[in-house]
Amino acid sequence: MKLITFIYKDSKQRVGVVCRDDKTVTDLTDEFYDMNNLISSCNLGELKKYQKDSDDILLSEIKLLAPIPEPKQDIICLGINYSEHAEESARFKKEKFDGKREYPVYFSKRVNEALADNETAHCLNADEKIDYEAELGVIISKTCRNVSAGNSRDYVFGYTIINDLSARTLQQKHKQWYYGKSFDSSCPMGPWIVTADEFSYPPKLKIESRVNSEVRQSSNTEKMIFNIDYIIEDLSRSMTLKSATIISTGTPAGAGMGFEPPKFLKDGDKVECEIENIGILTTYISK
């Protein structure tokens, strides 16, 4: 199922499910007041009763918002979770990478409001070196602690696409990632959440980014250094993961900083992040 947050004919934020025809939408706002509430209120089996073959609201007539426009907490992010990206990151920072990654690198990303598909990121005023990062977003289904790797699948609600826009100058200045990852409009997300039951587990999905139609990143989520099982077990060992927590699982090689010379984003650029069986998240870049 594709679950969406949207606006239809008024300014009211609504939550719904895309019908099986992929052309119409069922409005679930009378049942759930937002996506956070939907995720915490029912399991995937219960959600199936809401999906119809077709309905009255045309998908083409709504305005999509990010599936979780206002996350309840900062997004948990994995840094350098693909080996090739670790190499290009070290090269950009003029550091050595020995090919080993014994422990994951976690950081958080503050998101006051996530950008929707086809929206513009007004971000070039934050930094002249804005970079793109296509990432698989994992949505936690129910609040959990001390989850074993073997049971982690039971706590995955679904998946979305995240473009972890990054201010490279700020990252280098501050010697950490929080500030350089948390500027306004730094988190395009969407276009929807696809529920976990639509995928084999762990999902092995092609992941790609394009800037003005030029392919920049092309990999597969099975190449993560630390997979979803490991991440959920590791994090939940020391912290409670609440329902609707968003985990952004890292980006493959091909970010702008990895090129010689670097290819950072410019005013007017169009960035497309695509993940197999989820969709395409498009973002426009502006001052």
Side-chain angles (χ1 to χ4, degrees):
M1 284 178 290
K2 296 173 182 174
L3 299 170
I4 59 173
T5 299
F6 67 101
I7 291 173
Y8 179 65
K9 292 186 176 179
D10 56 24
S11 59
K12 182 179 179 180
Q13 186 179 117
R14 301 172 182 273
V15 64
V17 57
V18 178
C19 297
R20 293 184 183 91
D21 62 7
D22 268 337
K23 296 179 180 179
T24 56
V25 173
T26 298
D27 189 348
L28 303 182
T29 310
D30 288 343
E31 299 287 338
F32 312 103
Y33 55 82
D34 66 10
M35 190 65 74
N36 288 316
N37 175 242
L38 183 154
I39 294 168
S40 63
S41 297
C42 56
N43 60 41
L44 296 183
E46 294 169 334
L47 273 177
K48 287 184 181 297
K49 69 182 180 182
Y50 295 108
Q51 190 176 37
K52 300 178 181 179
D53 291 332
S54 63
D55 213 325
D56 296 332
I57 301 175
L58 291 174
L59 187 61
S60 60
E61 293 182 347
I62 66 172
K63 174 179 171 52
L64 278 177
L65 304 179
I68 304 179
E70 298 176 1
K72 292 190 293 185
Q73 297 178 309
D74 288 0
I75 294 175
I76 301 172
C77 301
L78 272 287
I80 46 182
N81 198 30
Y82 291 73
S83 292
E84 294 86 352
H85 179 57
E87 291 172 7
E88 69 181 4
S89 177
R91 186 169 61 249
F92 177 72
K93 293 182 287 187
K94 296 180 171 57
E95 298 174 351
K96 291 183 178 180
F97 176 58
D98 61 7
K100 299 177 181 178
R101 183 67 59 201
E102 187 175 1
Y103 300 105
V105 175
Y106 299 115
F107 63 95
S108 61
K109 184 180 183 80
R110 175 169 289 277
V111 181
N112 290 320
E113 184 175 2
L115 285 188
D117 181 38
N118 281 311
E119 287 194 326
T120 298
H122 296 278
C123 55
L124 293 177
N125 59 339
D127 194 331
E128 62 181 9
K129 295 180 179 179
I130 297 295
D131 213 343
Y132 53 87
E133 294 187 359
E135 307 202 4
L136 176 68
V138 177
I139 315 298
I140 296 297
S141 59
K142 49 191 174 183
T143 298
C144 58
R145 179 76 193 274
N146 291 319
V147 177
S148 67
N151 292 327
S152 62
R153 180 178 187 173
D154 297 336
Y155 296 88
V156 177
F157 179 82
Y159 305 97
T160 191
I161 304 170
I162 291 174
N163 184 354
D164 179 22
L165 291 176
S166 305
R168 300 302 188 196
T169 303
L170 294 179
Q171 280 184 249
Q172 289 185 301
K173 279 183 179 179
H174 292 271
K175 307 300 181 185
Q176 48 75 42
W177 295 345
Y178 185 74
Y179 188 33
K181 297 278 191 175
S182 300
F183 53 92
D184 287 347
S185 77
S186 67
C187 189
M189 182 195 305
W192 33 58
I193 295 170
V194 181
T195 53
D197 55 344
E198 297 289 331
F199 302 88
S200 60
Y201 187 86
K204 299 177 181 180
L205 306 172
K206 182 179 179 181
I207 179 170
E208 184 172 289
S209 70
R210 299 178 293 274
V211 179
N212 303 325
S213 300
E214 177 193 3
V215 176
R216 296 284 183 87
Q217 296 176 286
S218 185
S219 188
N220 195 289
T221 60
E222 69 176 330
K223 294 185 177 181
M224 291 180 196
I225 300 172
F226 300 99
N227 62 23
I228 296 169
D229 285 343
Y230 182 99
I231 294 166
I232 292 176
E233 179 181 62
D234 193 42
L235 288 172
S236 69
R237 183 183 300 117
S238 300
M239 67 173 74
T240 299
L241 297 177
K242 292 186 176 182
S243 174
T245 291
I246 304 166
I247 301 173
S248 199
T249 55
T251 200
M257 69 176 181
F259 291 88
E260 296 287 352
K263 294 183 177 181
F264 295 118
L265 296 172
K266 306 182 299 298
D267 189 23
D269 279 350
K270 176 184 178 182
V271 184
E272 296 170 291
C273 297
E274 182 171 5
I275 299 182
E276 181 182 6
N277 296 331
I278 298 179
I280 301 173
L281 171 65
T282 300
T283 305
Y284 298 92
I285 304 300
S286 181
K287 294 180 180 178

